[in-house]
Amino acid sequence: LLLFLLLLLDLLMYSVFYRHSSNNSTLYTWLAFETLAMTSGCLVSIGKFCVLLLDSSLDHGWSSKASCLFYLDLIGDCVSMCIFLLFIVTFFLHNPSKLPLYMMADILQVGRQLLLRLQSFRKFRQLTKNMNENFPDATLDELESADTCIICRDALHI
């Protein structure tokens, strides 16, 4: 409920800041883009919450939960990067003599986070590509002796 209230507040503030933004004042343009970034973060959090609700409602959990959460984070990072880059372009088109260097820190942080996620995803794909060939299926004795998978950390069910 709180996330939905935050989402509504973000959308309301975005509409206010968008109406007041102009070519002369960059403050409202900056605030409009910041509320867009917060809105995208809120939507990603709502998506994660829904995934966790779905996982807890299933008897043996959802086997694709980790992948879905990873993709939600990846999409959130891509959207944030697009929002920040769009802000830089918009700001530069309105004020070609001034470049917002303070936004470069946000762009670098999101870019680094996106790069790390993509590297992690590539390593994950390489590891899981031949998993069935490299690791034999667990026996019933092994399943009974362990309660979590050492690879994905999910609960094991017989």
Side-chain angles (χ1 to χ4, degrees), residues 58-76:
L58 297 174
D59 290 337
H60 297 294
W62 187 25
S63 61
S64 300
K65 176 183 77 170
S67 297
C68 189
L69 290 174
F70 175 80
Y71 285 122
L72 278 172
D73 283 334
L74 185 64
I75 290 169

Side-chain angles (χ1 to χ4, degrees), residues 90-116:
T90 304
F91 193 92
F92 185 72
L93 290 177
H94 287 274
N95 298 315
S97 62
K98 300 175 186 174
L99 189 63
L101 294 178
Y102 57 88
M103 286 298 293
M104 297 309 274
D106 289 337
I107 290 173
L108 291 175
Q109 178 185 5
V110 171
R112 181 180 169 276
Q113 193 172 2
L114 187 59
L115 182 65
L116 289 174

Side-chain angles (χ1 to χ4, degrees), residues 141-154:
D141 293 336
E142 292 172 334
L143 287 174
E144 290 173 354
S145 67
D147 57 347
T148 58
C149 175
I150 62 169
I151 296 171
C152 64
R153 301 289 183 213
D154 282 339

